Amino acid sequence: EDVPVPLDLVAALWKRTGAMDEIDAEALCEWLARLSLLLSLDLTLRVIRLHDVVRQFLLGRLGSREPALHADLLNTGRPGSGAWCDLAADAGYWWSWLFTHLRAADRHDELRRTATDLRYLVHKAQARSALAVEPDLAMACAQFPDDAVLAQLRRSYTQATGLLTACSSAADAMT
């Protein structure tokens, strides 16, 4: 979906699933780019972008193995503590796409736990923006439409978003 994917994440996934080191992963990405199978490869920013058509083809080839691939990707990117709230502030890919991968990996309970983890919500709002939390809560509510706690959390968060976006720090939000 024309998403910049960190080359370090790609290399770590390929190391985990294919015993490929970082140098070989970068060389493979360069080769794929020369074949125009990547939309772009930016070695300065260290990101790749996959063509939508290639992405759809690969997903079609995965079939029933798609959840396992997403699970491998999640295991590759998981913080050392095991808690998604401990993502680094500069882990932009994960702050943007975590819930998509949790859903695709059929990790619904983990998706719900993360959506209701106030530490995750605060850290994401600090790392991205207060508005960036809403899509995660919406996805969790769609996954668990009968969950009253999630529904109330989403309502309350949505109502407070205007105030939260006006805060310049976590300390401001507490006053």
Side-chain angles (χ1 to χ4, degrees):
E1 296 181 17
D2 191 19
V3 172
V5 180
L7 186 54
D8 294 342
L9 176 59
V10 173
L13 177 65
W14 288 348
K15 180 178 184 177
R16 179 183 190 85
T17 60
M20 184 180 292
D21 67 24
E22 189 172 338
I23 294 169
D24 289 339
E26 189 172 311
L28 178 56
C29 285
E30 289 174 336
W31 182 69
L32 293 171
R34 281 194 304 277
L35 294 174
S36 298
L37 293 174
L38 295 179
L39 183 60
S40 67
L41 167 63
D42 188 326
L43 293 175
T44 303
L45 296 176
R46 302 210 37 84
V47 296
I48 66 166
R49 291 178 193 264
L50 194 59
H51 281 292
D52 290 345
V53 173
V54 173
R55 180 180 171 276
Q56 288 303 319
F57 171 78
L58 293 172
L59 288 174
R61 297 276 308 210
L62 279 172
S64 63
R65 296 174 298 161
E66 183 180 350
L69 176 66
H70 286 277
D72 281 336
L73 189 62
L74 287 163
N75 292 335
T76 299
R78 183 181 301 282
S81 69
W84 292 111
C85 66
D86 293 330
L87 283 169
D90 65 351
Y93 179 84
W94 286 111
W95 289 118
S96 296
W97 297 103
L98 173 61
F99 276 51
T100 300
H101 290 296
L102 287 170
R103 186 181 60 200
D106 294 330
R107 291 193 176 175
H108 306 294
D109 291 339
E110 186 175 359
L111 187 149
R112 187 193 181 285
R113 275 193 315 276
T114 305
T116 57
D117 181 348
L118 298 181
R119 297 168 306 157
Y120 171 82
L121 301 178
V122 168
H123 290 175
K124 180 166 184 173
Q126 289 174 330
R128 306 302 281 173
S129 76
L131 296 173
V133 173
E134 170 57 24
D136 289 351
L137 293 174
M139 190 179 295
C141 285
Q143 189 67 48
F144 297 96
D146 299 325
D147 190 315
V149 170
L150 269 173
Q152 180 60 50
L153 178 60
R154 183 178 182 203
R155 267 191 310 277
S156 297
Y157 190 88
T158 300
Q159 290 169 351
T161 300
L163 294 171
L164 294 172
T165 56
C167 297
S168 59
S169 70
D172 289 347
M174 300 299 199
T175 58

